[in-house]
Amino acid sequence: MSLSVLQQEDGNIIDGKATAQKVLEEVKSEVAKMKQQGIEPCLAVVLVGADPASQVYVRNKVEKTQFVGMRSLEFRFEADLTQDALLAKIDELNADASVHGILVQLPLPKHIDETAVLQRINPIKDVDGFHSENVGGLSQGRDVLTPCTPTGCIRLLKDTLGNDLSGLHAVVVGRSNIVGKPMAALLLKESCTVTVVHSKTRHLEKLCQQADIIVAAVGRPKMITSAYVKDGAVVIDVGINRIQENGKNRLVGDVDFDDVLPIASAITPVPGGVGPMTIAYLMKNTLHAAKLQHVEL
Ligand code: GUN
């Protein structure tokens, strides 16, 4: 079976940056409508410590929150913040009706129990979709907040293949709580046939060869070569790996882009593919959270 792919502007390369911009514009116009009704959606971002990558992510999140016209709150703490103090901050944000979304940037310092922190966030303010209430809700197919990266991947797939993904065989490479597992649940919700493969999987290459859709989220630079990909498959690359190549630092995905590009019917580049979608869907989730907290809308 050959997949019918909607025309991409740039050949078979999926432009995540352009799609993310479209999503941000959608959110911006909905935010404007909410503000007219007297509700200003608000996202609170909490950063503990000074991890350089986390600082960049948080700055980006604040910028995009402001771009879509939402209120942005940022709380930065030293790396030696106690777990109790962090939980108290979350309690305060949970109790504040003007705050609709709470995001605690990961990773947290080692002395803090990540699960305890994520579980403390009120599930209707959990814009990361990491609370077990939301994880369970997703697995039951309920209208809950779902993790931003895999939700953004579904949007890219629908923009590429059309809204009906039913019956397609999707192979998810990786089983992390942030991407692999929720990705599988979201694809199942779209009635895909889903296979999850991981580091212990036997015949991983053969399983990937059967996929109409491959979502790579393992964190292994250029692991997915053309040998893994069926002619005409759609390939979504969630990987962001920093490597040294010819003496230079380069950002590459989990897919060997140049090798797979000629055989995939559509493929996301790194950077400029999935990356920008994550933050766009964080904005969408904050809007969703605000709606869940204002049932009158
Ligand atoms: N750090 C890396 N990815 C994520 C994410 O999706 N959410 C949060 N909160 N922290 C992260």
Side-chain angles (χ1 to χ4, degrees):
M1 185 201 70
S2 133
L3 286 182
S4 154
V5 170
L6 305 175
Q7 190 62 43
Q8 307 289 318
E9 270 178 28
D10 192 4
N12 58 341
I13 301 175
I14 298 172
D15 187 345
K17 224 168 140 181
T19 309
Q21 198 53 38
K22 216 160 66 182
V23 173
L24 290 174
E25 295 295 344
E26 287 165 17
V27 174
K28 191 174 181 175
S29 98
E30 283 212 54
V31 167
K33 280 189 222 152
M34 278 183 111
K35 281 176 155 175
Q36 280 171 1
Q37 291 168 298
I39 294 154
E40 184 181 29
C42 169
L43 173 64
V45 177
V46 179
L47 175 62
V48 185
D51 176 63
S54 291
Q55 283 179 326
V56 174
Y57 290 140
V58 166
R59 192 178 336 127
N60 223 335
K61 284 166 186 171
V62 169
E63 269 175 29
K64 293 293 185 289
T65 308
Q66 291 165 347
F67 174 80
V68 297
M70 301 195 287
R71 188 159 73 107
S72 170
L73 297 177
E74 191 183 346
F75 301 95
R76 287 174 181 253
F77 297 101
E78 299 291 327
D80 62 358
L81 182 79
T82 65
Q83 179 167 318
D84 282 348
L86 180 55
L87 293 176
K89 185 73 210 173
I90 292 171
D91 289 345
E92 182 193 316
L93 295 170
N94 280 339
D96 184 342
S98 75
V99 173
H100 301 99
I102 303 170
L103 181 138
V104 178
Q105 186 66 30
L106 303 176
L108 287 167
K110 296 227 172 338
H111 67 278
I112 297 179
D113 176 358
E114 213 161 87
T115 307
V117 171
L118 297 178
Q119 287 298 103
R120 192 72 156 235
I121 299 171
N122 182 339
I124 58 170
K125 297 191 178 189
D126 169 34
V127 285
D128 261 327
F130 293 162
H131 191 288
S132 59
E133 167 73 20
N134 289 325
V135 176
L138 168 59
S139 123
Q140 292 171 326
R142 289 194 275 122
D143 176 29
V144 292
L145 294 165
T146 55
C148 305
T149 300
T151 310
C153 291
I154 294 285
R155 169 67 179 259
L156 290 178
L157 286 169
K158 287 187 172 180
D159 276 17
T160 305
L161 288 163
N163 278 332
D164 183 12
L165 305 178
S166 67
L168 296 177
H169 183 199
V171 173
V172 179
V173 189
R175 53 173 158 173
S176 70
N177 288 333
I178 293 184
V179 184
K181 285 183 211 165
M183 188 76 240
L186 286 164
L187 287 161
L188 199 54
K189 200 168 164 213
E190 296 298 330
S191 301
C192 288
T193 301
V194 183
T195 303
V196 180
V197 299
H198 49 79
S199 55
K200 297 282 192 283
T201 298
R202 293 180 197 173
H203 316 301
L204 193 148
E205 191 174 310
K206 272 212 160 60
L207 289 164
C208 287
Q209 285 165 1
Q210 292 168 30
D212 301 311
I213 295 167
I214 294 183
V215 181
V218 267
R220 289 183 54 191
K222 299 193 198 184
M223 175 188 154
I224 305 298
T225 62
S226 56
Y228 290 67
V229 181
K230 177 172 79 176
D231 243 2
V234 174
V235 179
I236 304 289
D237 189 355
V238 184
I240 302 177
N241 309 290
R242 273 163 240 277
I243 62 159
Q244 284 263 330
E245 207 173 65
N246 308 324
K248 285 189 198 148
N249 280 321
R250 251 193 89 193
L251 212 58
V252 297
D254 293 344
V255 177
D256 187 336
F257 182 83
D258 296 332
D259 191 39
V260 174
L261 181 66
I263 59 165
S265 62
I267 180 169
T268 60
V270 176
V274 173
M277 293 298 285
T278 297
I279 199 150
Y281 268 79
L282 174 63
M283 299 304 119
K284 215 158 175 112
N285 271 357
T286 306
L287 190 70
H288 186 185
K291 287 181 183 167
L292 291 173
Q293 286 155 68
H294 290 276
V295 283
E296 72 275 16
L297 291 182

